Amino acid sequence: MKSDFTTLAKMNLVLINSIEPDCDPCKMRLPILQKVKEILGSRIEIFNLDQVEFNAFSKKFKLQSFSSLALLANGKVIWETSAVSSKDDLIQIITTHN
């Protein structure tokens, strides 16, 4: 992705996840996001960004400073959180906006 977020603006639903080596919640989210992708397939794109990429993304899309997971629809942030959400919660949030 490398700070070129124009592609994201063209996609229908995109879930952006911040991954940091020392972040336990980030590590906990990865298997949950894999299951969400398995279930929803092509209805959602999921991108894992390192801290530098996520900071650039946060500035571009004006996220709250503490957010580490964001859902975009047609280039606009429609949901964001710093919490670790369950697979079922994420699927409900995504399908509500699909």
Side-chain angles (χ1 to χ4, degrees):
M1 188 99 337
K2 300 295 181 203
S3 302
D4 177 18
F5 301 114
T6 54
T7 303
L8 293 179
K10 297 176 185 174
M11 296 180 159
N12 185 24
L13 280 177
V14 180
L15 194 60
I16 304 295
N17 180 43
S18 171
I19 52 172
E20 300 175 45
D22 298 328
C23 173
D24 288 334
C26 299
K27 293 174 187 172
M28 291 170 49
R29 255 196 311 268
L30 288 175
I32 296 169
L33 294 176
Q34 288 172 340
K35 290 185 187 281
V36 168
K37 180 63 178 168
E38 288 173 14
I39 292 168
L40 295 179
S42 63
R43 296 191 306 181
I44 186 77
E45 293 296 330
I46 299 174
F47 294 98
N48 295 303
L49 304 182
D50 65 28
Q51 188 61 40
V52 172
E53 292 172 321
F54 195 83
N55 285 342
F57 167 81
S58 294
K59 288 177 186 172
K60 171 88 174 158
F61 289 93
K62 298 176 176 70
L63 293 185
Q64 297 178 20
S65 61
F66 57 84
S67 295
S68 57
L69 188 65
L71 180 65
L72 281 74
N74 300 314
K76 296 186 192 275
V77 175
I78 56 173
W79 177 82
E80 59 183 287
T81 188
S82 60
V84 175
S85 302
S86 72
K87 169 187 61 93
D88 293 335
D89 288 344
L90 286 173
I91 289 171
Q92 180 180 6
I93 291 163
I94 293 165
T95 55
T96 298
H97 293 94
N98 195 352

